[in-house]
Amino acid sequence: MSVEQVPRRGRRIGIDVGSVRVGVALSDPDGLIATPLVTVPRDVEGGTDVVAVAALVAEHEAVGVVVGLPRTLAGREGPAAEAARVFVAALEPALAVPVELSDERLTTVVATRQLRESGRKGRKQRAVVDQVAAVGILQGWLDRHR
C-alpha cells in the first residue's frame, strides 16, 4: 500500500524495537497525540513479539504502524537499525496495514531523561522507557504528517 493510499484518519501504532523489549504506543483516531500502550518482551528466535504486536494492531484496528529506525547522529545505520529492519520484515507479512520506518535518533535517550526527571528510576524506569520512546517515534511521525 503506497503512502497515498494510507487512510488519513485512524489509530496508528508506534514501535520502538529494543534488544530486550519492544515499546508500543498508540495514537488517537484523529492522529493528534500518541500515548504509551504496552511493552512486549523481545523474542528474536520465537517471534512471539511479532505475534503480540500484530494482535495489538488488530485489537486497536490500527490503520498503520510506524517503527523507529535508529541511526547515528551522522545518519549511519548500525546493528540496532538492522534489528529494526529484521523486525519489520517479520511483521509486515502478519499485517494488512502499511508499516513505515521512521528516523528515531535519540528517542531512547530523551525518554530516559524524561522519566528520570519525573522521578522514575531504576527498574521501574526501564519497564516503561521503551514505551515512552515509542511515543516519541509515533508523535514525531504524527506531527510530520499532520
Side-chain angles (χ1 to χ4, degrees):
M1 183 179 285
S2 73
V3 174
E4 293 80 32
Q5 294 172 317
V6 176
R8 301 270 308 144
R9 190 169 192 286
R11 292 182 183 273
R12 288 181 169 72
I13 298 275
I15 305 289
D16 177 60
V17 179
S19 59
V20 177
R21 293 171 296 276
V22 176
V24 183
L26 180 67
S27 78
D28 65 293
D30 293 320
L32 299 175
I33 191 157
T35 56
L37 184 59
V38 69
T39 302
V40 175
R42 188 78 165 101
D43 183 15
V44 176
E45 299 299 317
T48 58
D49 51 354
V50 171
V51 172
V53 169
L56 290 167
V57 170
E59 176 186 342
H60 294 282
E61 299 177 346
V63 298
V65 176
V66 179
V67 178
L69 180 65
R71 290 191 171 127
T72 66
L73 291 177
R76 291 193 271 286
E77 293 185 13
E82 178 60 25
R85 289 185 182 281
V86 168
F87 184 85
V88 167
L91 183 62
E92 281 181 314
L95 301 178
V97 300
V99 178
E100 184 176 334
L101 287 162
S102 181
D103 190 341
E104 67 134 315
R105 290 173 226 207
L106 300 178
T107 55
T108 301
V109 172
V110 171
T112 302
R113 183 177 302 135
Q114 288 173 339
L115 288 169
R116 188 175 298 126
E117 288 172 359
S118 73
R120 280 206 161 156
K121 294 183 181 166
R123 290 177 193 242
K124 288 181 182 177
Q125 178 178 320
R126 280 181 278 172
V128 296
V129 71
D130 295 308
Q131 288 178 41
V132 175
V135 167
I137 292 163
L138 183 55
Q139 190 64 56
W141 187 94
L142 294 170
D143 292 346
R144 284 189 304 277
H145 288 82
R146 195 167 306 138

